[in-house]
Amino acid sequence: MLDFSLPQKIAIWALPVLFAITVHEVAHGYVASRLGDRTAQMMGRLTLNPLKHIDPIGTVLVPLVMLLLPGGFLFGWAKPVPIGYRNLNNPKRDMAIVAAAGPLSNLLMAIGWALLLRLSVAFLQTMPWAAQPLFFMAQAGIAINLILMVLNLVPVPPLDGGRVLTGILPMPQAARFAAIEPYGLMIVLALLMTGVLGRLLQPAIGLFNELLLTLVGLGGSA
């Protein structure tokens, strides 16, 4: 993408980031409600109103700082949707399904943004005043959703990939693996700030990006 000013970056990224993080959390809560736990529903968290999900640090401050960094790896999070583990029909198995729902929602949103990107390209010549903003916003939407999807699939609790792995492992190994959760976020942040996380995840993000562009007939040209 072009070298935009900070206000332009905020205008382009704000909606995709809010939507990506909000739907990710709602997906967790919705699947949990289908599997026996209505905690998120009773607390009013099954809503697309981003105000219900915004974390001042993770949803606002951290992404803003990342946008300021040259070539920064965009990163953020929302307030986690509360899940009553023991309310689930089959807690160990169902928690893995609930965790997987977040990254899956980001994949579906990335596909949606890719379709909008294709639409914007079709109208760039005839309606540039509308198509050009959509073009850049769709690129941002694809990027943030692929980042959230791939990042959350990293098998470190409390990331979704860690919880999926906990649900797959036999109980003794799952209990030992889950014990690292209090330190998981610190591990992820350390890898992020040193740039290691970005270098590890970029190949997978790039691969999914190329696949999406090919799917909508752009073949990496956007």
Side-chain angles (χ1 to χ4, degrees), residues 80-94:
V81 164
I83 306 294
Y85 179 81
R86 289 181 173 81
N87 296 331
L88 296 168
N89 300 326
N90 184 328
K92 186 172 180 292
R93 180 204 66 190
D94 292 350

Side-chain angles (χ1 to χ4, degrees), residues 23-25 27-28 96-110 145-146 148-154 159-161 164:
V23 174
H24 180 105
E25 292 302 326
H28 287 314
I97 297 173
V98 169
L104 178 59
S105 74
N106 290 123
L107 176 60
L108 295 176
M109 282 186 284
N145 278 288
L146 291 183
L148 286 177
M149 181 189 74
V150 174
L151 173 65
N152 275 284
L153 288 175
V154 172
L159 296 180
D160 296 327
V164 169

Side-chain angles (χ1 to χ4, degrees), residues 14-215:
L15 183 60
V17 168
L18 284 175
F19 198 54
I21 292 176
T22 296
V23 174
H24 180 105
E25 292 302 326
V26 171
H28 287 314
Y30 174 76
V31 172
S33 71
R34 302 289 295 180
L35 295 175
D37 175 50
R38 297 179 61 246
T39 304
Q41 183 178 356
M42 291 187 294
M43 295 183 68
R45 294 294 301 278
L46 295 190
T47 173
L48 293 178
N49 178 2
L51 296 178
K52 295 286 187 177
H53 305 281
I54 286 177
D55 179 287
I57 296 176
T59 316
V60 180
L61 181 60
V62 171
L64 185 60
V65 170
M66 291 297 169
L67 284 177
L68 289 171
L69 296 175
F73 184 80
L74 194 65
F75 178 73
W77 62 88
K79 288 190 299 185
V81 164
I83 306 294
Y85 179 81
R86 289 181 173 81
N87 296 331
L88 296 168
N89 300 326
N90 184 328
K92 186 172 180 292
R93 180 204 66 190
D94 292 350
M95 195 64 202
I97 297 173
V98 169
L104 178 59
S105 74
N106 290 123
L107 176 60
L108 295 176
M109 282 186 284
I111 294 172
W113 282 113
L115 292 171
L116 288 175
L117 182 66
R118 184 68 184 87
L119 181 66
S120 71
V121 169
F123 288 98
L124 274 176
Q125 298 299 321
T126 57
M127 299 174 61
W129 55 272
Q132 194 171 62
L134 179 59
F135 177 82
F136 292 120
M137 189 175 290
Q139 285 185 316
I142 294 170
I144 186 60
N145 278 288
L146 291 183
I147 289 170
L148 286 177
M149 181 189 74
V150 174
L151 173 65
N152 275 284
L153 288 175
V154 172
V156 176
L159 296 180
D160 296 327
R163 289 186 171 147
V164 169
L165 184 55
T166 300
I168 295 173
L169 290 171
M171 186 58 76
Q173 289 86 350
R176 287 195 292 270
F177 181 68
I180 72 172
E181 181 163 339
Y183 317 101
L185 187 57
M186 289 186 288
I187 294 171
V188 172
L189 287 174
L191 292 173
L192 172 69
M193 299 309 294
T194 57
V196 173
L197 189 62
R199 289 194 294 272
L200 289 174
L201 300 186
Q202 281 296 349
I205 294 169
L207 175 61
F208 276 106
N209 186 66
E210 288 300 318
L211 288 174
L212 280 180
L213 293 178
T214 301
L215 177 67

